[in-house]
């Protein structure tokens, strides 16, 4: 018999089941707080990690969840244009209050308050991706199509682009 899941991971399991997804939640000995840690723990590329970043929309104060490829840095201005509001960094208290999760363990589902969800288009290039499951050391595997379906998220290009060295 396996050990019971931590309460926040159990909330994710229930949300996944309610969405018709029977994903196995893995609670790992090592932290999966960063995309690199998660990729090493599950044996996938960093790009296959669906990292959850929470922002605070202004002036509505609504949570905005960006689910991005683990290798991408999010272009906050592009996301702000998509949601029609300015974005502010969400502090740890805002993240925990609105999502019910600690930073590093924010799942794409099971939030206390449903966020506006934007999904990185780059995740759609994979057969399988891995997402946080409510704690900094719990993850689950799913397909990009399932991620879009269970979150109702809007797929968009959210990766920040940087100028090549030597260009202005």
């Amino acid at each position: 018999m396996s050990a019971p899941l931590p309460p926040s991971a159990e909330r994710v399991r229930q949300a996944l089941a309610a969405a018709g997804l029977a994903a196995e939640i893995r609670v790992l000995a090592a932290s999966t707080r960063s995309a690199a840690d998660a990729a090493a723990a599950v044996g996938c590329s960093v790009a296959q990690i669906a990292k959850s970043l929470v922002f605070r929309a202004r002036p509505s104060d609504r949570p905005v969840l960006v689910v991005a490829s683990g290798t991408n840095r999010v272009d906050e201005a592009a996301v702000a244009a998509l949601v029609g509001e300015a974005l502010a960094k969400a502090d740890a208290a805002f993240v925990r209050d609105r999502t019910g999760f600690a930073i590093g363990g924010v799942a794409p589902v099971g939030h206390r308050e449903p966020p506006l969800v934007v999904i990185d288009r780059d995740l759609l290039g994979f057969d399988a991706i891995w997402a946080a499951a409510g704690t900094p050391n719990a993850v689950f595997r799913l397909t990009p199509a399932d991620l879009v379906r269970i979150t109702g998220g809007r797929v968009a290009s959210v990766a920040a682009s940087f100028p090549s060295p030597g260009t202005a």
Side-chain angles (χ1 to χ4, degrees), residues 130-154:
W130 290 84
T135 74
N137 66 331
V139 295
F140 67 99
R141 184 178 184 266
L142 72 165
T143 67
D146 282 335
L147 177 65
V148 173
R149 181 181 62 79
I150 67 174
T151 63
R154 179 176 177 183

Side-chain angles (χ1 to χ4, degrees), residues 30-120:
S31 171
T32 57
R33 189 174 297 272
S34 74
D37 290 344
V42 300
C44 71
S45 73
V46 175
Q48 287 176 273
I49 298 300
K51 63 183 177 183
S52 294
L53 304 168
V54 179
F55 295 92
R56 192 174 200 157
R58 295 291 190 187
S60 72
D61 208 37
R62 184 169 181 193
V64 176
L65 174 66
V66 177
V67 184
S69 171
T71 55
N72 288 347
R73 185 168 171 192
V74 173
D75 181 342
E76 294 177 34
V79 175
L82 285 169
V83 302
E85 289 188 77
L87 295 182
K89 298 274 189 210
D91 64 18
F94 180 88
V95 172
R96 178 158 317 261
D97 181 57
R98 299 300 182 87
T99 70
F101 304 118
I103 291 174
V106 176
V109 295
H111 293 239
R112 284 186 183 147
E113 177 181 331
L116 182 60
V117 180
V118 178
I119 298 171
D120 185 348

